[in-house]
Amino acid sequence: MEVNSWVLWQFDVLILLMVVVCAVVALQLKDLVSSAITFGAYSFFMCILWTEMLAVDVAFTEAAVGAGVSTILFLGTALHVKRRAKD
Amino acid sequence: MANFLEAVLGQYNNWAFIILLMIGIYAMIAKNNLLKKVIGMAIFQSAIILFYVSVSLKKGATIPIIAHGHGHDHGAVAHAIDAASYANPLPHVLMLTAIVVGVATLGVALAIVQKVNRVYGTIEEDEILEKIKE
């Protein structure tokens, strides 16, 4: 049942569930700014997932670049355009 | 039956990879807002990265950093290295490049979204199509 031996597989499944939930919520929210922030949370959960999948170098790159830079890029764009999305 | 269930549920990394891939491609095709399409593209990218990092996992392995790798015996590592006890670092390095390239494409995509917004005054796809027809 286990993919990785030094963490519980329950923790693995919990993080994967949170990743999927954050992806769905980021796409369903009508407000683009909260959508961008939820996408930042998605990147942060991905970063935790890389850490417990033994890819520490990928994890800190994702934390700096994914959760940091791309959230700021999304926020900058969301504040420039009309904030309400139709879908 | 129990064996089958364990074989299906045991590969939960691959199931999460498939679900994220489908979420991303659905958003890129079906969403009306251009920013939502870009978010779908980013989710698609990180799903691919999840697949590659899953490949590098081994049972009973640790992070691919050799303890006491910088010994005092002039560069030669004194003890033998068991490769099976470290996760495979090659997919990690490949995906490091993919993350950086992904941010570059994200920046270009968001710049195009802002340019579209400046020209048409909206980033909703149907409104843009109507304004192109006029």
Side-chain angles (χ1 to χ4, degrees), chain A residues 25-66:
Chain A
V25 169
L27 288 173
Q28 291 305 116
L29 279 174
K30 297 270 189 283
D31 187 12
L32 286 181
V33 174
S34 33
S35 190
I37 296 294
T38 317
F39 184 74
Y42 168 86
S43 289
F44 183 70
F45 279 115
M46 270 298 189
C47 164
I48 298 175
L49 188 64
W50 304 146
T51 313
E52 57 104 24
M53 284 169 79
L54 307 173
V56 277
D57 45 352
V58 184
F60 67 68
T61 310
E62 176 82 24
V65 160

Side-chain angles (χ1 to χ4, degrees), chain B residues 15-83:
Chain B
W15 292 113
F17 153 69
I18 292 169
I19 291 169
L20 283 177
L21 209 65
M22 289 304 116
I23 289 173
I25 208 162
Y26 161 74
M28 285 169 76
I29 292 172
K31 285 289 176 185
N32 196 34
N33 192 291
L34 290 186
L35 201 72
K36 292 282 176 72
K37 280 179 190 271
V38 178
I39 289 179
M41 188 185 76
I43 289 171
F44 194 88
Q45 279 171 348
S46 55
I48 301 283
I49 297 171
L50 174 63
F51 172 68
Y52 269 85
V53 175
S54 305
V55 169
S56 77
L57 274 178
K58 289 174 191 167
K59 220 169 191 174
T62 181
I63 57 172
I65 296 173
I66 297 173
H68 313 297
H70 299 282
H72 298 292
D73 43 4
H74 300 289
V77 181
H79 51 279
I81 297 164
D82 182 19

Side-chain angles (χ1 to χ4, degrees), chain B residues 105-127:
Chain B
T105 53
L106 196 73
V108 174
L110 289 174
I112 292 173
V113 169
Q114 289 200 17
K115 184 72 179 170
V116 166
N117 182 58
R118 204 171 298 153
V119 173
Y120 294 104
T122 176
I123 57 167
E124 301 289 340
E125 204 181 36
D126 50 350
E127 295 173 12

Side-chain angles (χ1 to χ4, degrees), chain B residues 11 26 48 61 74 84 88 95 99-100 102 122:
Chain B
Q11 302 180 341
Y26 161 74
I48 301 283
H74 300 289
N88 190 356
M95 289 310 108
I99 288 176
V100 177
T122 176

